[in-house]
Amino acid sequence: FFNDAESTEIYTEQIVGSVRCVQETDALTGPVMSFFDTFYFQKIWQRKQVKEQSEKCFLTQSEANQTFEGVEFDIAVKYASVLRTVYATIFYAPLIPVALIFSFLSLFFQYWIDKY
């Protein structure tokens, strides 16, 4: 398919560039999407409204509990995200060793974002 070394080198550089883009996208989208979760900001706004109405609030205890509980944490989705990152890193690490650093940072930030 490729007759000369120059064509092979250009093709290899394109593949490595594409793989690096995929790896960086995978490393960034998980933590960023978790950090800017719209449901979390909606809960914060609802809590603020309830606190401002403190004496005039007509919520039942169960409604107040729902308002002040945390955002739903779906362990299956989080586990799948971690596995996707780890498997992609294991697969692409021989091509791009810096993928290990991206993945480590991604998992580190994802941990701290999910913790709080």
Side-chain angles (χ1 to χ4, degrees):
F1 186 70
F2 295 108
N3 296 338
D4 57 352
E6 185 177 319
S7 299
T8 305
E9 185 177 323
I10 291 171
Y11 184 67
T12 303
E13 287 178 14
Q14 290 174 350
I15 289 175
V16 170
S18 296
V19 168
R20 183 171 165 232
C21 181
V22 167
Q23 193 70 22
E24 289 173 356
T25 303
D26 178 54
L28 289 174
T29 55
V32 169
M33 295 301 288
S34 293
F35 185 73
F36 294 111
D37 185 13
T38 56
F39 295 114
Y40 177 71
F41 292 116
Q42 180 183 8
K43 284 269 191 188
I44 290 175
W45 182 77
Q46 287 175 345
R47 291 174 192 167
K48 182 180 176 189
Q49 295 297 320
V50 169
K51 285 180 182 178
E52 287 176 358
Q53 299 175 354
S54 62
E55 296 296 322
K56 302 173 189 170
C57 183
F58 295 107
L59 291 177
T60 64
Q61 185 62 48
S62 64
E63 291 171 339
N65 289 345
Q66 281 183 335
T67 302
F68 284 91
E69 71 184 10
V71 181
E72 182 180 340
F73 183 82
D74 190 3
I75 191 72
V77 171
K78 299 297 181 181
Y79 187 68
S81 175
V82 167
L83 284 180
R84 181 190 66 227
T85 301
V86 169
Y87 286 149
T89 302
I90 290 170
F91 186 75
Y92 292 127
L95 280 176
I96 307 171
V98 77
L100 296 168
I101 296 170
F102 284 128
S103 296
F104 173 76
L105 291 174
S106 172
L107 295 174
F108 177 79
F109 288 128
Q110 188 67 47
Y111 170 77
W112 285 103
I113 289 170
D114 289 341
K115 185 173 180 175
Y116 296 105

